[in-house]
Amino acid sequence: FVGGPNRTDMVVASPNPIRAEKVQPIELPVIDLSAERSEVSKLIVEACEEYGFFKLINHGVSDNIIAQMEEEGLNFFTKPLSEKQRAGPATPFGYGCKNIGFNGDIGEVEYLLLDTNPLSISQRSNTISNDPNKFSSAVIGYIQAVRVLACEILDLMAEGLWVQDSSVFSTMIKDVESDSLFRLNHYPPILCKDRETSPSSFHSHSSSKVGFGEHSDPQILTILRSNDVGGLQISLGDGVWVAVPPDPTAFCVNVGDVLQAMSNGRFLSVRHRALTNSCKSRMSMAYFGAPPLHAWVTAPAELVTPNRPLLYRPFTWGEYKKAAYSLRLGDSRLDLFRTA
Ligand code: GA4
């Protein structure tokens, strides 16, 4: 996907202010990974069917691995702009500021987008950090830990769905050619000054701007973590948004479009967005587990029945990714692959 317009060259209107006071907080289903296995898999399936999101505790990723990654992320975002730009534009991998994707989407966010191949992380690290070895070992260690976690969750999902081959989902992200990504997002504090345009909606502490606009994740599974600053919201449909309270000790896991297709529509790839906070800086890190480009995506036979016929035609991840990148952030791309 190199060759699209340069993200840093685009000039687009500023995202609209959002009035945060209308959004209620939600307690996502909490999954304790240390609980009994069949119980965990049952709860994960229920959460993915109802919300497409859950909070994972006792996940086994060490505090040290997380702290090292967080420190490297903070070091990067506190650098001056010209140094951050040494990472190259995020097309496909590098530093991005405000521009998202290739089709004019923008948000109040800056980010570092990386592939998950250890060799390419090592090679790139000298453009990102003054201590490249420290940076690459933190990133490689973090990615390795969350990949293991993602595989464990995907196996539990397959078990809970009573799919015979319980590694049917995890095999895709274990593959050396997996197209998985790692993303660090920084949402700077932005005090929303919308007094001029709508006097009644001026609330300096309850208004925010769109950091990352509403979208679903195209991949299989996302493992997200943020610092102690809120901003993530998920859509319950019908225009109702709920805020996910921050919890730096937990991971927030969500179903991606590919898993919605592979579960034959049982799991939901839910739209979400991130808003800025008026006074605090938010940093999030997301691992997006994806298949290799050539891998075929379709539901396993057990999930296709006369009562539940195949919802999406088989497609390769490469085909799906191409569709995703040719559309806008908020477009519903999975609908293009429906069988009927
Ligand atoms: C959303 C999930 C990941 O952050 C991402 C995003 C990607 C990008 O920022 O370049 C996309 C977006 C995400 C969905 C549709 C396409 C691609 C921007 C966009 C308009 C890295 C991803 O894989 O898809």
Side-chain angles (χ1 to χ4, degrees), residues 7 100-101 181 183 215 217-219 288 324-325 327 329 333:
R7 292 168 204 228
I100 298 167
L181 297 174
R183 177 177 201 132
H215 66 286
D217 292 341
Q219 292 83 359
F288 302 96
Y325 276 83
L327 295 167
L329 184 61
R333 31 201 127 79

Side-chain angles (χ1 to χ4, degrees), residues 181-260:
L181 297 174
F182 180 57
R183 177 177 201 132
L184 289 171
N185 290 312
H186 174 229
Y187 301 95
I190 292 172
L191 185 68
C192 182
K193 298 190 192 95
D194 58 350
R195 190 200 286 271
E196 299 85 1
T197 47
S198 61
S200 60
S201 67
F202 183 78
H203 297 284
S204 60
H205 292 288
S206 57
S207 298
S208 333
K209 284 197 164 189
V210 177
F212 204 104
E214 86 174 86
H215 66 286
S216 64
D217 292 341
Q219 292 83 359
I220 304 178
L221 194 72
T222 305
I223 312 258
L224 179 86
R225 187 212 164 260
S226 80
N227 63 354
D228 207 3
V229 177
L232 176 66
Q233 299 188 344
I234 68 174
S235 166
L236 296 183
D238 299 335
V240 180
W241 287 92
V242 289
V244 178
D247 182 351
T249 66
F251 284 109
C252 184
V253 179
N254 67 282
V255 172
D257 297 346
V258 164
L259 192 55
Q260 178 167 326

Side-chain angles (χ1 to χ4, degrees), residues 10-331:
M10 289 190 186
V11 181
V12 203
S14 178
N16 292 326
I18 297 270
R19 278 205 274 154
E21 62 271 21
K22 281 188 183 157
V23 173
Q24 301 296 319
I26 186 179
E27 181 63 59
L28 288 176
V30 179
I31 310 285
D32 178 349
L33 203 56
S34 66
E36 195 268 318
R37 190 169 182 93
S38 62
E39 184 60 16
V40 175
S41 72
K42 197 181 107 207
L43 292 174
I44 290 181
V45 168
E46 282 171 12
C48 293
E49 290 182 327
E50 197 169 340
Y51 296 97
F53 268 83
F54 58 87
K55 190 170 140 172
L56 194 68
I57 59 166
N58 293 322
H59 46 66
V61 177
S62 81
D63 292 350
N64 189 32
I65 284 182
I66 294 173
Q68 283 180 31
M69 190 58 249
E70 178 146 295
E71 188 189 330
E72 292 304 316
L74 279 174
N75 285 346
F76 178 76
F77 290 120
T78 42
K79 285 175 161 214
L81 181 65
S82 60
E83 276 186 51
K84 289 185 273 204
Q85 284 171 334
R86 284 191 60 223
T91 45
F93 302 118
Y95 173 70
C97 186
K98 297 199 173 162
N99 296 296
I100 298 167
F102 297 90
N103 300 309
D105 289 291
I106 58 154
E108 295 296 339
V109 63
E110 58 171 344
Y111 59 94
L112 191 60
L113 195 55
L114 300 171
D115 68 302
T116 57
N117 179 291
L119 190 63
S120 81
I121 293 168
S122 301
Q123 286 166 346
R124 198 178 288 283
S125 60
N126 62 328
T127 68
I128 300 174
S129 169
N130 304 335
D131 191 342
N133 291 334
K134 191 165 160 257
F135 178 84
S136 55
S137 58
V139 177
I140 292 168
Y142 185 84
I143 289 173
Q144 155 72 9
V146 287
R147 184 197 288 112
V148 168
L149 183 62
C151 288
E152 176 68 357
I153 297 166
L154 289 170
D155 291 352
L156 285 158
M157 287 173 169
E159 288 167 32
L161 287 168
W162 298 99
V163 173
Q164 206 184 356
D165 173 8
S166 63
S167 52
V168 64
F169 308 132
S170 64
T171 321
M172 292 185 145
I173 64 170
K174 270 187 204 146
D175 196 301
V176 282
E177 289 184 56
S178 146
D179 191 38
S180 299
L181 297 174
F182 180 57
R183 177 177 201 132
L184 289 171
N185 290 312
H186 174 229
Y187 301 95
I190 292 172
L191 185 68
C192 182
K193 298 190 192 95
D194 58 350
R195 190 200 286 271
E196 299 85 1
T197 47
S198 61
S200 60
S201 67
F202 183 78
H203 297 284
S204 60
H205 292 288
S206 57
S207 298
S208 333
K209 284 197 164 189
V210 177
F212 204 104
E214 86 174 86
H215 66 286
S216 64
D217 292 341
Q219 292 83 359
I220 304 178
L221 194 72
T222 305
I223 312 258
L224 179 86
R225 187 212 164 260
S226 80
N227 63 354
D228 207 3
V229 177
L232 176 66
Q233 299 188 344
I234 68 174
S235 166
L236 296 183
D238 299 335
V240 180
W241 287 92
V242 289
V244 178
D247 182 351
T249 66
F251 284 109
C252 184
V253 179
N254 67 282
V255 172
D257 297 346
V258 164
L259 192 55
Q260 178 167 326
M262 291 195 82
S263 64
N264 202 20
R266 276 186 60 181
F267 289 0
L268 304 175
S269 174
V270 167
R271 296 162 83 79
H272 51 284
R273 65 185 182 186
L275 302 190
T276 64
N277 186 286
S278 45
C279 41
K280 289 186 218 148
S281 179
R282 174 166 186 258
M283 191 173 78
S284 68
M285 9 183 135
Y287 165 83
F288 302 96
L293 286 173
H294 57 78
W296 281 93
V297 171
T298 194
E302 297 91 326
L303 301 180
V304 185
T305 61
N307 283 339
R308 235 185 204 280
L310 191 68
L311 252 187
Y312 304 98
R313 68 164 176 85
F315 51 83
T316 64
W317 165 244
E319 188 186 352
Y320 194 74
K321 186 178 177 183
K322 197 170 164 193
Y325 276 83
S326 66
L327 295 167
R328 297 293 295 261
L329 184 61
D331 288 337

